[in-house]
Amino acid sequence: MGIKCQFNGQKVGTCFLLDGSPKNPFEFVQVQIANVESKFSIAISDSGEIKVEGKVKDKKPHFTKVGSFSVDVSMDGSLILCSQVDQPGMTGSVGNILGKENVNVSFMSVGRNAPQKQVVMTIGVDEEPSKEALKRIEEILAAEEFVFLKL
């Protein structure tokens, strides 16, 4: 049964309510949202929809796709999603900034479609980085955009 979906008060399409259960749990979810502005444009498809996919892995939710980029990211704690140019030293540069701020990184993963093109770096953090640390990440030459998600 379809219902009206809203995102920030705007109608964005039709939603379907699904009821998972212990006998029939969800294993995969795909979300597509149309006609909204994204703070993370790499998640927007050629048709203008924001698209993310996920699955349940070891009884925990995971992102498996952000836009056209494959990732395997646990949705536990907080995340930094960063789109950037694929080049050596980027993971080290971001990790160094977070380390100097005493922000513990729980995992770091890079999803790419081709070498030395655009990539999505996902970083799990135990603490919320300071605004200054996020600004320094933003200032890294190859970092195009990023978003901090507190889950």
Side-chain angles (χ1 to χ4, degrees):
M1 177 170 120
I3 60 170
K4 291 181 183 177
C5 271
Q6 291 191 345
F7 182 76
N8 289 336
Q10 287 186 306
K11 183 180 180 211
V12 293
T14 302
C15 292
F16 296 90
L17 296 177
L18 302 173
D19 188 19
S21 69
K23 288 183 180 180
N24 191 19
F26 291 120
E27 293 180 7
F28 173 81
V29 175
Q30 182 184 80
V31 178
Q32 290 178 248
I33 304 172
N35 302 319
V36 294
E37 291 184 27
S38 172
K39 293 183 179 180
F40 197 63
S41 64
I42 202 164
I44 299 175
S45 69
D46 291 338
S47 63
E49 296 175 319
I50 296 172
K51 184 177 179 181
V52 293
E53 293 181 10
K55 67 179 180 179
V56 177
K57 181 177 170 183
D58 300 325
K59 298 183 181 181
K60 293 183 181 179
H62 281 68
F63 278 128
T64 57
K65 203 161 202 178
V66 176
S68 64
F69 294 87
S70 294
V71 296
D72 186 6
V73 178
S74 173
M75 293 175 57
D76 190 23
S78 297
L79 298 175
I80 297 172
L81 294 176
C82 180
S83 69
Q84 65 194 52
V85 175
D86 185 23
Q87 65 184 33
M90 284 300 295
T91 56
S93 296
V94 173
N96 192 28
I97 291 169
L98 295 172
K100 286 181 180 177
E101 289 285 320
N102 206 30
V103 174
N104 192 46
V105 173
S106 58
F107 67 86
M108 189 178 282
S109 172
V110 177
R112 66 181 187 177
N113 293 337
Q116 300 187 1
K117 300 291 181 188
Q118 196 171 32
V119 301
V120 171
M121 180 169 43
T122 53
I123 307 156
V125 293
D126 293 335
E127 299 84 18
E128 184 171 348
S130 68
K131 289 182 182 179
E132 294 80 22
L134 294 174
K135 182 149 181 67
R136 285 200 302 281
I137 293 170
E138 184 178 32
E139 291 170 351
I140 296 173
L141 183 61
E144 296 172 349
E145 61 183 344
F146 73 96
V147 64
F148 175 73
L149 303 172
K150 192 171 187 175
L151 303 175

